Amino acid sequence: MTKLSNFIVFLFVMLSFFSPVSAAVYWGDLHVHTSYSADAYLQGGSAIPDDVCTSAKNNGLNFAAVTDHAEYNAAAGRMSEYLWNDTVAQLQNGSCAETSTFIPFIGYEWTNQTYGHKTVIFKILNIPFSAVFGAKHYTTPDALWTALDSSGYKAITIPHHVADDNTAATNWDYHNPYYQPVMEIYSEHGSSESCRLNYEAPAFCNSSGSAAYALGTKGYKIGIIAGTDAHDGRAGSVNNGDFVMPRTQFNGGLIAVIASSFSRTDIWDAITNRRTYATSGPKIILSFNINGNKMGSEIILASGEYPALEISAQGVRSVIDRIEIIKNGNSVSPVHTQTFSQNTVSYSWTDNDYISGDFYYVRVIQSNNERAWSSPIWVTTQQ
Ligand SMILES: [Zn+2]
Ligand SMILES: [Zn+2]
């Protein structure tokens, strides 16, 4: 063989060696309203579900969900069967038709002012109106989960703006690990990471709804995502505010999913296994592993082993300013901070003070203050 063909064979061998472990990042927005939500409609909104998919593609997203309020009609406390069936139909055609690069999801928002809001996302599109459980008739989280159980459709419920008492903070006394693998900590309602952080905390911030409380105080194993909560159908409109309902001063965020390939099942499995991270809008690339295990994992170390954190990130239109490592939900005082001033960074850090049961997530902060939050990794030592 010539030197060139030798080299090509070498390349193929290397590619086939690396491809099984390579994982890509896919971008989405799982929290988008149209005029089929009463609040958007009453303020003059005209977006329809098809617009959500057009906007998602224009904003470079790989997946998006339509999540109109299940309580569309205030008197009836219920979305209409006509609007729901029309949403199902639109999501299977036109701009929303599933392709090798775009996947639509259907859902609704369970808008409960006592226990907090949750977006309900289904795995498949063909969901009957009988599986729409609004907060007026399904008044507690347990009632919602029981109803979803009996419907038989695979679904998750994503608590959102969890610390925002202006809308409704999440009551974390109610949690279901099966239905709530992830929480939305950033959107146009700002950051619900912790009320003790300066970064875009809601004006009426409820500490016992925050992500820090759910992860640290309650000890729940929940992954981290962001969304827009746009009410004008504009999925992924992270820099433009919300045209129909410019209700807040914050921009929306995005969910990033880490998956080895792209299909409805791949994206669903990545979300339910917490292989997700959140950004405040820019498509910051973030990889976070401990001892070779991806974000969202629960790992068991051998006796005497320490968690070795490996973080790499790539900034967008700004350099990476720092990586902050958050241990055991103490989001205010990172256990370790490493500063940079470059676009692409890679960093390793071992926690020599580790004790079994510790967990870690990372914040990557650009010099323009935009950021990404990883899902945590939970670590225990074999007894
Ligand atoms: Zn809401
Ligand atoms: Zn919403």
Side-chain angles (χ1 to χ4, degrees):
M1 282 195 289
T2 64
K3 273 185 180 168
L4 179 64
S5 60
N6 264 334
F7 180 67
I8 289 169
V9 169
F10 169 76
L11 270 184
F12 272 111
V13 169
M14 292 311 284
L15 282 172
S16 58
F17 180 75
F18 282 114
S19 57
V21 293
S22 71
V25 175
Y26 299 100
W27 295 95
D29 185 354
L30 293 176
H31 191 173
V32 189
H33 298 265
T34 73
S35 61
Y36 295 4
S37 287
D39 49 358
Y41 176 75
L42 291 172
Q43 294 196 22
S46 59
I48 60 172
D50 188 80
D51 296 329
V52 173
C53 301
T54 302
S55 181
K57 290 174 179 175
N58 288 342
N59 287 317
L61 302 187
N62 307 106
F63 59 97
V66 174
T67 56
D68 283 308
H69 293 290
E71 308 79 13
Y72 173 83
N73 179 310
R78 197 152 193 219
M79 170 176 260
S80 79
E81 186 163 10
Y82 171 80
L83 289 178
W84 179 259
N85 289 341
D86 189 46
T87 303
V88 172
Q90 287 190 43
L91 285 177
Q92 298 179 76
N93 295 286
S95 307
C96 293
E98 187 170 323
T99 68
S100 60
T101 56
F102 181 77
I103 294 169
F105 286 91
I106 193 167
Y108 53 83
E109 179 171 328
W110 182 79
T111 315
N112 190 301
Q113 294 304 113
T114 304
Y115 300 97
H117 302 183
K118 302 179 192 298
T119 36
V120 178
I121 311 285
F122 292 96
K123 183 178 180 187
I124 63 168
L125 289 176
N126 208 356
I127 301 295
F129 182 58
S130 59
V132 179
F133 306 117
K136 179 165 180 180
H137 302 289
Y138 300 85
T139 54
T140 66
D142 287 329
L144 173 64
W145 295 321
T146 302
L148 287 169
D149 271 344
S150 62
S151 80
Y153 293 102
K154 264 190 189 148
I156 54 173
T157 66
I158 305 175
H160 59 261
H161 48 59
V162 291
D164 182 13
D165 254 350
N166 187 44
T167 46
T170 295
N171 182 336
W172 285 115
D173 289 342
Y174 300 80
H175 178 57
N176 181 316
Y178 171 82
Y179 278 111
Q180 302 197 141
V182 295
M183 60 182 153
E184 183 186 289
I185 72 156
Y186 184 84
S187 70
E188 65 171 31
H189 300 282
S191 170
S192 284
E193 184 181 9
S194 163
C195 296
R196 295 171 60 214
L197 289 165
N198 291 326
Y199 180 75
E200 298 194 4
F204 301 95
C205 197
N206 184 332
S207 284
S208 65
S210 68
Y213 185 87
L215 295 169
T217 307
K218 286 293 196 183
Y220 297 149
K221 296 184 173 75
I222 312 180
I224 290 175
I225 73 166
T228 59
D229 200 6
H231 275 62
D232 57 5
R234 303 197 323 157
S237 57
V238 292
N239 297 315
N240 309 315
D242 185 332
F243 276 16
V244 173
M245 299 185 70
R247 303 167 297 175
T248 78
Q249 74 268 42
F250 306 119
N251 292 320
L254 297 178
I255 170 179
V257 156
I258 295 167
S260 49
S261 55
F262 184 70
S263 70
R264 181 173 292 277
T265 294
D266 291 325
I267 297 300
W268 186 263
D269 289 350
I271 295 168
T272 54
N273 287 296
R274 306 177 293 234
R275 291 195 299 272
T276 60
Y277 66 92
T279 83
S280 59
K283 296 193 181 96
I284 298 168
I285 299 296
L286 170 60
S287 164
F288 168 44
N289 296 303
I290 295 183
N291 297 17
N293 300 279
K294 289 188 178 70
M295 62 176 85
S297 300
E298 296 175 57
I299 65 176
I300 301 172
L301 301 183
S303 173
E305 241 186 320
Y306 287 89
L309 286 69
E310 291 161 41
I311 305 137
S312 58
Q314 188 176 358
V316 178
R317 292 186 300 278
S318 180
V319 294
I320 304 291
D321 180 72
R322 62 195 185 275
I323 288 173
E324 297 179 335
I325 297 170
I326 311 300
K327 182 175 176 180
N328 297 337
N330 187 351
S331 50
V332 177
S333 306
V335 64
H336 187 77
T337 298
Q338 183 66 33
T339 56
F340 304 89
S341 186
Q342 59 205 77
N343 182 256
T344 303
V345 302
S346 204
Y347 187 67
S348 303
W349 181 77
T350 297
D351 185 8
N352 293 311
D353 296 323
Y354 157 83
I355 55 169
S356 184
D358 285 341
F359 70 94
Y360 307 83
Y361 72 89
V362 298
R363 276 197 300 255
V364 171
I365 301 173
Q366 299 195 146
S367 59
N368 64 358
N369 223 13
E370 301 284 3
R371 59 196 59 206
W373 298 262
S374 79
S375 282
I377 298 175
W378 292 266
V379 189
T380 52
T381 295
Q382 183 116 45
Q383 294 305 309

